[in-house]
Amino acid sequence: MGSVEKETKVFDSEAASSMVKELRGEFLSGKTRSYEWRVTQLKNILKMSEDREQDIVKALHSDLTKPELESSIYEISMLKNACTLAIKKLKQWMKPEKVKTSLTSFPSSAEIVSEPLGVVLVISPWNYPFLLSIDPVVGALAAGNAVVLKPSEVAPATSSLLAKLVGEYLDNTLIRVVEGAVAETSALLEQKWDKICYTGNGRVGRIVMAAAAKHLTPVLLELGGKCPAVVDSIINLKVAARRIVAGKWGCNSGQTCVAVDYILTTKDVALKLVDALKHELEGFYGKNQLESKDLSRIVNLNHFDRLTKLLDEDKVSGKIVHGGERDKANLKIAPTILLDVPQDSLIMNEEIFGPLLPIFTVEKVESSFDVINSGTKPLAAYLFTDNKKLKEQFVMAVSAGGLVINDTVIHLAVDTLPFGGVQESGMGAYHGKFSFDAFSHKKGVLYRSFAGDAPVRYPPYTKGKLAFMKALMSGSILGVICALIGLSKN
């Protein structure tokens, strides 16, 4: 007796086109423009996060063996905070912003109206597969858009759960999840969107941007880069070490776009810093750190092999001063510190995105800024110092998506700061109201009555009219009065 195979529905370009057409039709009905619809979706996301927290934690553990604390705090709680803020501020964000007008348009009034862009695509990564999927969706829904979410296939348990939860909790006439890999993503990228938000690496970011350019679709790209931490001698070494460890290995084993990628410091500080980092690592993760339950695993074999290649390069393998142990069967690499790595090594020229931390030494700490600026602009940069002048130099000299002084990664939790890259680390920003703005069109509106219609703007043109219009455009009331006097004499 032959087996009956279950028919799998293919998601191709035709299916993607049909879905976008449906969503655009629903969007054009005006349903998303109301405060009630938007706030209902946000409240449902909040409810989903609360009701299904343990399911989310289990999915994240399945995909990355992510510790429950990291899942609950860095993914679920941060998403809840984003939702709570949007719910609280939504009426204020939606309200038209009154702005001043000029003498040129007198008498008049003006405002800036935030309107939804339309149908947007969110393509999320595997490293924070819950937070970085739903956080941009919060901004898109708050702004009144229809949304398609494409979660990463590299985190399959979370992807499957997201498809299920969005189906259960949100309005599926306007919010959809498409699962799949390259073929499905390609089918989505062929369509015309009103904005695409992509979080991931620069290689795929270029593919996304090229696809968007065909339709003149704007993009929000959250990419990455090599995020440096500069360590001065004038610091509390213990606190600095703890915060570096937390911002590297305590964030998904370094598989974080804003994790510390490498350290820049002077030779006299380097050895002390290595000892301090070792001490804190042992305190956090024990003597056998490869076995720690508080460290995520590497996401898959491809990334494990990529990181192994960085470690095994001839000019780097002898520079390991801590860690280096690996467990290929369980995709684990122990926290690893390398000292005095060559600047031309692979590990100093590729984004590491893993539990390896090279330390590069410079003659004086100010030289660190030149090293940073010699490469591409990072998504984040960190400085540890109590030197006020050095802080000012760092802020002025270093261009990055965001800067933090005397800590790491914590700026992501500050909703009044934009989160985004610059140049190769990304374009556009979100978080807090910046999320609402990222998915809104700021429409300028000028109101005038039929009163105050000045014949001076209309032909036939005269020298008197020219003098008056010049005075008017300059904004000079005295000039306008003098021009009027001149007109009256003509």
Side-chain angles (χ1 to χ4, degrees):
M1 188 174 176
S3 62
V4 179
E5 292 187 8
K6 184 178 178 181
E7 185 179 346
T8 304
K9 191 174 181 180
V10 177
F11 187 86
D12 54 14
S13 185
E14 186 179 343
S17 177
S18 177
M19 178 190 67
V20 173
K21 186 178 179 181
E22 286 177 28
L23 290 170
R24 201 171 294 285
E26 287 292 328
F27 172 77
L28 291 173
S29 73
K31 187 177 180 182
T32 68
R33 289 183 175 266
S34 74
Y35 168 81
E36 289 74 21
W37 183 87
R38 300 184 198 190
V39 82
T40 297
Q41 304 314 306
L42 296 175
K43 286 179 177 178
N44 286 345
I45 290 176
L46 190 58
K47 187 175 190 303
M48 173 186 83
S49 303
E50 291 169 345
D51 292 351
R52 308 301 285 273
E53 180 164 344
Q54 283 309 305
D55 292 334
I56 298 163
V57 168
K58 286 176 185 175
L60 293 169
H61 189 270
S62 174
D63 288 329
L64 291 150
T65 66
K66 192 170 281 195
E68 184 174 357
L69 184 144
E70 287 188 32
S71 296
S72 293
I73 303 304
Y74 302 153
E75 297 227 35
I76 300 168
S77 291
M78 284 188 68
L79 190 276
K80 287 180 183 177
N81 287 347
C83 268
T84 302
L85 178 74
I87 291 165
K88 180 181 178 182
K89 299 285 189 179
L90 186 57
K91 281 187 178 178
Q92 180 183 328
W93 293 349
M94 290 177 67
K95 189 176 180 182
E97 178 189 352
K98 299 293 183 182
V99 292
K100 291 181 179 180
T101 58
S102 66
L103 190 61
T104 311
S105 61
F106 180 84
S108 64
S109 62
E111 63 185 10
I112 300 170
V113 176
S114 296
E115 67 176 8
L117 296 172
V119 183
V120 304
L121 173 64
V122 175
I123 305 174
S124 61
W126 53 261
N127 60 331
Y128 288 80
F130 180 72
L131 174 67
L132 296 182
S133 291
I134 304 298
D135 199 3
V137 170
V138 167
L141 295 178
N145 297 281
V147 182
V148 174
L149 169 64
K150 168 60 184 69
S152 174
E153 71 279 7
V154 180
T158 309
S159 175
S160 177
L161 181 62
L162 282 167
K164 181 182 177 183
L165 295 183
V166 168
E168 288 180 13
Y169 283 85
L170 300 179
D171 181 352
N172 297 154
T173 66
L174 286 151
I175 309 156
R176 306 278 180 88
V177 174
V178 174
E179 289 194 272
V182 174
E184 290 77 10
T185 306
S186 298
L188 288 168
L189 288 174
E190 288 176 16
Q191 312 311 312
K192 177 175 174 57
W193 303 92
D194 296 298
K195 189 155 193 175
I196 300 174
C197 172
Y198 167 75
T199 304
N201 62 58
R203 181 184 63 82
V204 177
R206 287 173 170 82
I207 294 170
V208 170
M209 195 170 180
K214 293 177 183 178
H215 302 287
L216 292 180
T217 296
V219 294
L220 194 167
L221 301 179
E222 296 295 347
L223 306 177
K226 295 185 71 64
C227 301
V230 178
V231 180
D232 187 23
S233 57
I234 309 171
I235 59 168
N236 182 323
L237 192 60
K238 178 180 176 63
V239 173
R242 290 171 72 89
R243 291 176 179 177
I244 290 169
V245 171
K248 177 66 171 181
W249 298 282
C251 290
N252 200 22
S253 286
Q255 298 171 112
T256 302
C257 56
V258 291
V260 179
D261 189 276
Y262 65 101
I263 289 174
L264 291 159
T265 193
T266 53
K267 293 182 185 295
D268 60 316
V269 174
L271 290 175
K272 297 175 188 174
L273 178 60
V274 168
D275 288 341
L277 290 170
K278 285 181 180 181
H279 178 76
E280 297 305 328
L281 281 167
E282 186 174 323
F284 288 5
Y285 305 116
K287 289 186 180 295
N288 187 357
Q289 290 155 26
L290 198 63
E291 301 296 320
S292 175
K293 303 298 182 186
D294 291 329
L295 285 166
S296 302
R297 65 168 167 80
I298 307 306
V299 67
N300 59 26
L301 186 58
N302 286 339
H303 281 277
F304 184 93
D305 289 342
R306 177 185 62 79
L307 290 163
T308 298
K309 181 182 176 183
L310 296 181
L311 270 184
D312 289 346
E313 187 182 11
D314 288 343
K315 61 181 75 176
V316 166
S317 57
K319 304 293 186 180
I320 297 172
V321 292
H322 178 80
E325 299 86 5
R326 310 161 206 179
D327 177 357
K328 191 169 185 176
N330 292 304
L331 298 177
K332 290 274 219 172
I333 299 177
T336 301
I337 303 170
L338 305 97
L339 181 60
D340 285 326
V341 291
Q343 195 170 0
D344 63 350
S345 59
L346 287 174
I347 202 168
M348 285 299 292
N349 287 278
E350 294 181 13
E351 184 178 6
I352 296 168
F353 223 71
L356 320 178
L357 183 61
I359 298 175
F360 185 79
T361 55
V362 290
E363 289 300 318
K364 56 181 183 176
V365 72
E366 291 84 0
S367 302
S368 300
F369 306 160
D370 294 329
V371 174
I372 296 169
N373 291 333
S374 68
T376 58
K377 296 184 178 183
L379 188 56
Y382 309 109
L383 170 68
F384 288 87
T385 186
D386 272 334
N387 184 321
K388 183 181 177 183
K389 186 178 178 183
L390 193 64
K391 292 176 188 178
E392 292 171 351
Q393 286 179 319
F394 181 70
V395 172
M396 290 298 294
V398 174
S399 180
L403 304 179
V404 182
I405 312 295
N406 292 330
D407 211 329
T408 60
V409 308
I410 200 167
H411 60 302
L412 270 65
V414 182
D415 58 51
T416 51
L417 291 175
F419 171 61
V422 56
Q423 291 186 0
E424 290 197 30
S425 58
M427 60 183 68
Y430 70 114
H431 283 191
K433 187 175 185 292
F434 299 100
S435 293
F436 178 87
D437 291 341
F439 293 100
S440 298
H441 166 59
K442 300 299 181 181
K443 183 167 63 179
V445 182
L446 181 72
Y447 297 93
R448 297 200 73 202
S449 72
F450 290 106
D453 190 48
V456 72
R457 65 186 282 201
Y458 305 123
Y461 302 135
T462 65
K463 288 186 177 180
K465 287 182 177 181
L466 176 60
F468 178 82
M469 291 299 289
K470 279 185 174 181
L472 190 66
M473 294 299 289
S474 73
S476 167
I477 295 175
L478 181 61
V480 169
I481 293 169
C482 291
L484 283 170
I485 293 169
L487 277 174
S488 67
K489 289 180 178 179
N490 291 338

